[in-house]
Amino acid sequence: MSVTKTVTVSIVSHGHGDMIPLLLQDLAQHGATAIHRVVVTLNIPEPTLLRWITSSSWPFFVRVLQNDRAQGFAANHNQSFAECDTEYFCVMNPDIHLIGNPFPALIERLQDGRVGCAYPMQTDGRGPAKDLAREVPSPRGLFRRYVPWGKSQEAPKHWINGSFMLFPSVVFKAIGGFDERYYMYCEDVDLCLRMRAQGWQIAVATKAIVRHSPRRASHRHWQHFWWHLQSLWMLWHTPHYRAVISKPVRSVWR
């Protein structure tokens, strides 16, 4: 199956000038055959990073967007999607590191017409790769996740974190992209639940493995913690969240 130059990758830098060069080099080394375009959004001014990107040579097109004011995760990736003219659209965090080329395995999963999003296995570099799909963050689900004795039963899989998601572009457009009312946190949960509500499945590609080293800012900064709480409150009042809570369904996961 050919995957030549069929992917647009969206990366957003929130002052990640130390990570973006490493990721771009990873993409050039491992993903150049699959990637047609990389859209890098500078959410805040980063002149040193901008000069480095524009003065370097890449095996794919690189488009740099510079925001006049900071935007949230959802708005930034939706803005990048406007630059997408390929069959597939990939949302990727700056703290992702490629171990090999994940795109052939991911695109293979998307050949099933029922699958609207494919994602890779993830490792933190200290253990084996895992499928990090999670239960929807309901009060009960959060209890099971963070309280040791709450993990006695297997939790259902409702969503995958937005650190690495690959969509057919037609699907991302059909579901309206990310909901920009979420400034930060839960926009990936919301998108997964809306996909489920529209009949799309989410599939893990077990042969695709990436390393992810998240900073987990909501664990350290009150501003991020507050954004997280606001996003949870908004999510809990959506019809697609209530549908999952009232009748959990596992069969939409592949």
Side-chain angles (χ1 to χ4, degrees):
M1 178 181 60
S2 174
V3 296
T4 304
K5 303 294 184 182
T6 57
V7 178
T8 294
V9 177
S10 173
I11 306 165
V12 179
S13 179
H14 305 271
H16 293 96
D18 56 333
M19 296 182 176
I20 300 295
L22 297 176
L23 177 54
L24 285 174
Q25 289 168 351
D26 274 0
L27 293 173
Q29 178 181 354
H30 299 293
T33 56
I35 299 170
H36 173 68
R37 186 186 310 277
V38 176
V39 182
V40 179
T41 301
L42 305 183
N43 204 34
I44 60 174
E46 295 184 74
T48 301
L49 176 59
L50 176 62
R51 285 194 298 270
W52 183 83
I53 293 174
T54 55
S55 64
S56 301
S57 178
W58 303 105
F60 35 63
F61 295 108
V62 177
R63 173 86 159 99
V64 180
L65 304 179
Q66 301 180 73
N67 289 341
D68 295 330
R69 59 182 180 82
Q71 301 187 88
F73 179 98
N76 277 315
H77 285 297
N78 286 351
Q79 176 180 258
S80 295
F81 183 65
E83 304 285 330
C84 177
D85 58 358
T86 55
E87 187 175 357
Y88 301 103
F89 178 64
C90 182
V91 171
M92 192 178 298
N93 273 13
D95 52 15
I96 288 290
H97 298 280
L98 300 189
I99 298 171
N101 184 358
F103 292 105
L106 291 164
I107 290 173
E108 182 177 1
R109 296 297 275 138
L110 292 174
Q111 299 313 296
D112 183 334
R114 297 167 296 178
V115 175
C117 175
Y119 64 95
M121 304 279 280
Q122 292 186 18
T123 176
D124 60 5
R126 295 172 294 185
K130 298 179 181 179
D131 178 353
L132 295 185
R134 297 172 179 171
E135 181 178 10
V136 67
S138 63
R140 182 178 62 181
L142 290 171
F143 177 84
R144 281 207 293 263
R145 181 177 170 187
Y146 290 110
V147 177
W149 58 85
K151 300 179 181 180
S152 59
Q153 59 180 347
E154 182 183 359
K157 297 177 179 180
H158 295 122
W159 67 285
I160 183 63
N161 67 65
S163 61
F164 196 129
M165 309 172 86
L166 184 68
F167 307 88
S169 296
V170 292
V171 173
F172 192 82
K173 182 178 181 179
I175 61 177
F178 291 102
D179 187 335
E180 296 184 13
R181 293 176 298 171
Y182 296 90
Y183 181 76
M184 196 173 294
Y185 304 108
C186 294
E187 53 277 278
D188 42 12
V189 188
D190 174 83
L191 181 139
C192 288
L193 298 188
R194 284 189 288 116
M195 289 185 66
R196 172 192 180 278
Q198 296 183 34
W200 297 103
Q201 298 172 349
I202 302 173
V204 61
T206 57
K207 295 179 181 179
I209 299 174
V210 299
R211 190 165 75 250
H212 184 211
S213 304
R215 290 179 172 176
R216 303 192 185 281
S218 65
H219 294 189
R220 302 192 305 270
H221 303 298
W222 279 106
Q223 179 65 72
H224 286 259
F225 181 69
W226 177 242
W227 283 333
H228 207 159
L229 288 179
Q230 287 180 311
S231 294
L232 281 170
W233 183 256
M234 183 160 58
L235 178 72
W236 290 342
H237 289 81
T238 61
H240 36 277
Y241 168 83
R242 291 194 293 269
V244 167
I245 293 302
S246 63
K247 189 179 180 181
V249 176
R250 300 190 188 195
S251 60
V252 298
W253 214 267
R254 301 292 291 174

PDB file of all heavy atoms in Angstrom, residues 173-191:
ATOM      1  N   LYS A 173     -12.926  17.021   8.612  1.00  0.00           N
ATOM      2  CA  LYS A 173     -13.795  18.099   8.133  1.00  0.00           C
ATOM      3  C   LYS A 173     -15.256  17.813   8.467  1.00  0.00           C
ATOM      4  O   LYS A 173     -16.000  18.713   8.890  1.00  0.00           O
ATOM      5  CB  LYS A 173     -13.631  18.271   6.624  1.00  0.00           C
ATOM      6  CG  LYS A 173     -14.462  19.408   6.042  1.00  0.00           C
ATOM      7  CD  LYS A 173     -14.208  19.558   4.549  1.00  0.00           C
ATOM      8  CE  LYS A 173     -15.035  20.713   3.970  1.00  0.00           C
ATOM      9  NZ  LYS A 173     -14.761  20.884   2.502  1.00  0.00           N
ATOM     10  N   ALA A 174     -15.670  16.565   8.302  1.00  0.00           N
ATOM     11  CA  ALA A 174     -17.076  16.208   8.525  1.00  0.00           C
ATOM     12  C   ALA A 174     -17.503  16.404   9.980  1.00  0.00           C
ATOM     13  O   ALA A 174     -18.653  16.780  10.251  1.00  0.00           O
ATOM     14  CB  ALA A 174     -17.324  14.765   8.098  1.00  0.00           C
ATOM     15  N   ILE A 175     -16.582  16.149  10.927  1.00  0.00           N
ATOM     16  CA  ILE A 175     -16.951  16.292  12.340  1.00  0.00           C
ATOM     17  C   ILE A 175     -16.727  17.718  12.844  1.00  0.00           C
ATOM     18  O   ILE A 175     -17.010  18.026  14.003  1.00  0.00           O
ATOM     19  CB  ILE A 175     -16.175  15.310  13.234  1.00  0.00           C
ATOM     20  CG1 ILE A 175     -14.661  15.564  13.145  1.00  0.00           C
ATOM     21  CG2 ILE A 175     -16.511  13.872  12.873  1.00  0.00           C
ATOM     22  CD1 ILE A 175     -13.849  14.676  14.062  1.00  0.00           C
ATOM     23  N   GLY A 176     -16.237  18.597  11.954  1.00  0.00           N
ATOM     24  CA  GLY A 176     -16.057  19.989  12.337  1.00  0.00           C
ATOM     25  C   GLY A 176     -14.776  20.284  13.080  1.00  0.00           C
ATOM     26  O   GLY A 176     -14.651  21.343  13.711  1.00  0.00           O
ATOM     27  N   GLY A 177     -13.813  19.363  13.026  1.00  0.00           N
ATOM     28  CA  GLY A 177     -12.553  19.575  13.728  1.00  0.00           C
ATOM     29  C   GLY A 177     -12.739  19.617  15.228  1.00  0.00           C
ATOM     30  O   GLY A 177     -13.706  19.066  15.776  1.00  0.00           O
ATOM     31  N   PHE A 178     -11.806  20.259  15.917  1.00  0.00           N
ATOM     32  CA  PHE A 178     -11.885  20.389  17.367  1.00  0.00           C
ATOM     33  C   PHE A 178     -12.858  21.506  17.735  1.00  0.00           C
ATOM     34  O   PHE A 178     -13.014  22.475  16.986  1.00  0.00           O
ATOM     35  CB  PHE A 178     -10.509  20.702  17.960  1.00  0.00           C
ATOM     36  CG  PHE A 178      -9.523  19.573  17.889  1.00  0.00           C
ATOM     37  CD1 PHE A 178      -8.529  19.559  16.928  1.00  0.00           C
ATOM     38  CD2 PHE A 178      -9.590  18.516  18.785  1.00  0.00           C
ATOM     39  CE1 PHE A 178      -7.606  18.526  16.860  1.00  0.00           C
ATOM     40  CE2 PHE A 178      -8.678  17.473  18.727  1.00  0.00           C
ATOM     41  CZ  PHE A 178      -7.689  17.477  17.763  1.00  0.00           C
ATOM     42  N   ASP A 179     -13.494  21.362  18.880  1.00  0.00           N
ATOM     43  CA  ASP A 179     -14.381  22.395  19.395  1.00  0.00           C
ATOM     44  C   ASP A 179     -13.525  23.488  20.031  1.00  0.00           C
ATOM     45  O   ASP A 179     -12.885  23.264  21.059  1.00  0.00           O
ATOM     46  CB  ASP A 179     -15.327  21.786  20.427  1.00  0.00           C
ATOM     47  CG  ASP A 179     -16.403  22.750  20.895  1.00  0.00           C
ATOM     48  OD1 ASP A 179     -16.181  23.991  20.823  1.00  0.00           O
ATOM     49  OD2 ASP A 179     -17.459  22.296  21.365  1.00  0.00           O
ATOM     50  N   GLU A 180     -13.537  24.681  19.444  1.00  0.00           N
ATOM     51  CA  GLU A 180     -12.646  25.746  19.886  1.00  0.00           C
ATOM     52  C   GLU A 180     -13.083  26.407  21.182  1.00  0.00           C
ATOM     53  O   GLU A 180     -12.377  27.275  21.705  1.00  0.00           O
ATOM     54  CB  GLU A 180     -12.498  26.784  18.772  1.00  0.00           C
ATOM     55  CG  GLU A 180     -11.833  26.201  17.529  1.00  0.00           C
ATOM     56  CD  GLU A 180     -11.585  27.220  16.430  1.00  0.00           C
ATOM     57  OE1 GLU A 180     -11.693  28.443  16.711  1.00  0.00           O
ATOM     58  OE2 GLU A 180     -11.297  26.795  15.290  1.00  0.00           O
ATOM     59  N   ARG A 181     -14.218  25.998  21.731  1.00  0.00           N
ATOM     60  CA  ARG A 181     -14.605  26.511  23.048  1.00  0.00           C
ATOM     61  C   ARG A 181     -13.702  25.956  24.141  1.00  0.00           C
ATOM     62  O   ARG A 181     -13.604  26.538  25.218  1.00  0.00           O
ATOM     63  CB  ARG A 181     -16.057  26.159  23.346  1.00  0.00           C
ATOM     64  CG  ARG A 181     -17.071  26.864  22.448  1.00  0.00           C
ATOM     65  CD  ARG A 181     -18.468  26.391  22.754  1.00  0.00           C
ATOM     66  NE  ARG A 181     -18.619  24.953  22.491  1.00  0.00           N
ATOM     67  CZ  ARG A 181     -19.693  24.245  22.837  1.00  0.00           C
ATOM     68  NH1 ARG A 181     -20.696  24.828  23.477  1.00  0.00           N
ATOM     69  NH2 ARG A 181     -19.750  22.956  22.544  1.00  0.00           N
ATOM     70  N   TYR A 182     -13.037  24.841  23.858  1.00  0.00           N
ATOM     71  CA  TYR A 182     -12.051  24.312  24.795  1.00  0.00           C
ATOM     72  C   TYR A 182     -10.729  25.021  24.522  1.00  0.00           C
ATOM     73  O   TYR A 182     -10.141  24.844  23.457  1.00  0.00           O
ATOM     74  CB  TYR A 182     -11.869  22.813  24.608  1.00  0.00           C
ATOM     75  CG  TYR A 182     -13.102  21.996  24.909  1.00  0.00           C
ATOM     76  CD1 TYR A 182     -14.028  21.707  23.914  1.00  0.00           C
ATOM     77  CD2 TYR A 182     -13.332  21.504  26.193  1.00  0.00           C
ATOM     78  CE1 TYR A 182     -15.164  20.951  24.188  1.00  0.00           C
ATOM     79  CE2 TYR A 182     -14.458  20.745  26.476  1.00  0.00           C
ATOM     80  CZ  TYR A 182     -15.370  20.477  25.471  1.00  0.00           C
ATOM     81  OH  TYR A 182     -16.488  19.737  25.749  1.00  0.00           O
ATOM     82  N   TYR A 183     -10.273  25.806  25.487  1.00  0.00           N
ATOM     83  CA  TYR A 183      -9.014  26.514  25.274  1.00  0.00           C
ATOM     84  C   TYR A 183      -7.840  25.545  25.404  1.00  0.00           C
ATOM     85  O   TYR A 183      -6.901  25.571  24.615  1.00  0.00           O
ATOM     86  CB  TYR A 183      -8.847  27.652  26.287  1.00  0.00           C
ATOM     87  CG  TYR A 183      -7.566  28.429  26.072  1.00  0.00           C
ATOM     88  CD1 TYR A 183      -7.459  29.342  25.021  1.00  0.00           C
ATOM     89  CD2 TYR A 183      -6.459  28.226  26.885  1.00  0.00           C
ATOM     90  CE1 TYR A 183      -6.276  30.033  24.787  1.00  0.00           C
ATOM     91  CE2 TYR A 183      -5.273  28.912  26.662  1.00  0.00           C
ATOM     92  CZ  TYR A 183      -5.188  29.817  25.616  1.00  0.00           C
ATOM     93  OH  TYR A 183      -4.011  30.490  25.393  1.00  0.00           O
ATOM     94  N   MET A 184      -7.918  24.703  26.408  1.00  0.00           N
ATOM     95  CA  MET A 184      -6.873  23.710  26.627  1.00  0.00           C
ATOM     96  C   MET A 184      -7.464  22.602  27.500  1.00  0.00           C
ATOM     97  O   MET A 184      -8.195  22.900  28.445  1.00  0.00           O
ATOM     98  CB  MET A 184      -5.647  24.334  27.300  1.00  0.00           C
ATOM     99  CG  MET A 184      -4.393  23.475  27.227  1.00  0.00           C
ATOM    100  SD  MET A 184      -2.926  24.348  27.843  1.00  0.00           S
ATOM    101  CE  MET A 184      -2.750  25.633  26.615  1.00  0.00           C
ATOM    102  N   TYR A 185      -7.188  21.358  27.151  1.00  0.00           N
ATOM    103  CA  TYR A 185      -7.654  20.158  27.849  1.00  0.00           C
ATOM    104  C   TYR A 185      -9.078  19.775  27.417  1.00  0.00           C
ATOM    105  O   TYR A 185      -9.934  20.622  27.222  1.00  0.00           O
ATOM    106  CB  TYR A 185      -7.603  20.317  29.373  1.00  0.00           C
ATOM    107  CG  TYR A 185      -6.244  20.692  29.888  1.00  0.00           C
ATOM    108  CD1 TYR A 185      -5.990  21.974  30.371  1.00  0.00           C
ATOM    109  CD2 TYR A 185      -5.190  19.788  29.842  1.00  0.00           C
ATOM    110  CE1 TYR A 185      -4.722  22.337  30.821  1.00  0.00           C
ATOM    111  CE2 TYR A 185      -3.922  20.140  30.289  1.00  0.00           C
ATOM    112  CZ  TYR A 185      -3.696  21.417  30.769  1.00  0.00           C
ATOM    113  OH  TYR A 185      -2.449  21.771  31.198  1.00  0.00           O
ATOM    114  N   CYS A 186      -9.264  18.481  27.257  1.00  0.00           N
ATOM    115  CA  CYS A 186     -10.550  17.825  26.953  1.00  0.00           C
ATOM    116  C   CYS A 186     -11.025  18.012  25.518  1.00  0.00           C
ATOM    117  O   CYS A 186     -12.032  17.417  25.130  1.00  0.00           O
ATOM    118  CB  CYS A 186     -11.662  18.259  27.907  1.00  0.00           C
ATOM    119  SG  CYS A 186     -11.387  17.723  29.618  1.00  0.00           S
ATOM    120  N   GLU A 187     -10.316  18.816  24.706  1.00  0.00           N
ATOM    121  CA  GLU A 187     -10.748  18.921  23.318  1.00  0.00           C
ATOM    122  C   GLU A 187     -10.569  17.601  22.584  1.00  0.00           C
ATOM    123  O   GLU A 187     -11.346  17.273  21.687  1.00  0.00           O
ATOM    124  CB  GLU A 187     -10.021  20.048  22.581  1.00  0.00           C
ATOM    125  CG  GLU A 187      -8.504  20.010  22.644  1.00  0.00           C
ATOM    126  CD  GLU A 187      -7.937  20.621  23.908  1.00  0.00           C
ATOM    127  OE1 GLU A 187      -7.796  21.846  23.981  1.00  0.00           O
ATOM    128  OE2 GLU A 187      -7.595  19.835  24.807  1.00  0.00           O
ATOM    129  N   ASP A 188      -9.565  16.804  22.994  1.00  0.00           N
ATOM    130  CA  ASP A 188      -9.387  15.488  22.383  1.00  0.00           C
ATOM    131  C   ASP A 188     -10.467  14.522  22.846  1.00  0.00           C
ATOM    132  O   ASP A 188     -10.966  13.710  22.052  1.00  0.00           O
ATOM    133  CB  ASP A 188      -7.994  14.919  22.678  1.00  0.00           C
ATOM    134  CG  ASP A 188      -7.538  15.132  24.112  1.00  0.00           C
ATOM    135  OD1 ASP A 188      -8.356  15.519  24.964  1.00  0.00           O
ATOM    136  OD2 ASP A 188      -6.340  14.903  24.392  1.00  0.00           O
ATOM    137  N   VAL A 189     -10.869  14.619  24.114  1.00  0.00           N
ATOM    138  CA  VAL A 189     -11.967  13.788  24.614  1.00  0.00           C
ATOM    139  C   VAL A 189     -13.250  14.126  23.855  1.00  0.00           C
ATOM    140  O   VAL A 189     -13.962  13.252  23.362  1.00  0.00           O
ATOM    141  CB  VAL A 189     -12.194  14.006  26.122  1.00  0.00           C
ATOM    142  CG1 VAL A 189     -13.208  12.985  26.649  1.00  0.00           C
ATOM    143  CG2 VAL A 189     -10.907  13.933  26.902  1.00  0.00           C
ATOM    144  N   ASP A 190     -13.546  15.407  23.786  1.00  0.00           N
ATOM    145  CA  ASP A 190     -14.764  15.867  23.112  1.00  0.00           C
ATOM    146  C   ASP A 190     -14.801  15.398  21.668  1.00  0.00           C
ATOM    147  O   ASP A 190     -15.833  14.902  21.191  1.00  0.00           O
ATOM    148  CB  ASP A 190     -14.826  17.394  23.174  1.00  0.00           C
ATOM    149  CG  ASP A 190     -15.977  17.969  22.374  1.00  0.00           C
ATOM    150  OD1 ASP A 190     -17.104  18.007  22.899  1.00  0.00           O
ATOM    151  OD2 ASP A 190     -15.746  18.370  21.211  1.00  0.00           O
ATOM    152  N   LEU A 191     -13.678  15.520  20.954  1.00  0.00           N
ATOM    153  CA  LEU A 191     -13.647  15.107  19.558  1.00  0.00           C
ATOM    154  C   LEU A 191     -13.891  13.606  19.420  1.00  0.00           C
ATOM    155  O   LEU A 191     -14.656  13.164  18.559  1.00  0.00           O
ATOM    156  CB  LEU A 191     -12.315  15.500  18.926  1.00  0.00           C
ATOM    157  CG  LEU A 191     -12.149  15.146  17.454  1.00  0.00           C
ATOM    158  CD1 LEU A 191     -11.456  16.268  16.697  1.00  0.00           C
ATOM    159  CD2 LEU A 191     -11.341  13.859  17.287  1.00  0.00           C
TER     160      LEU A 191
END
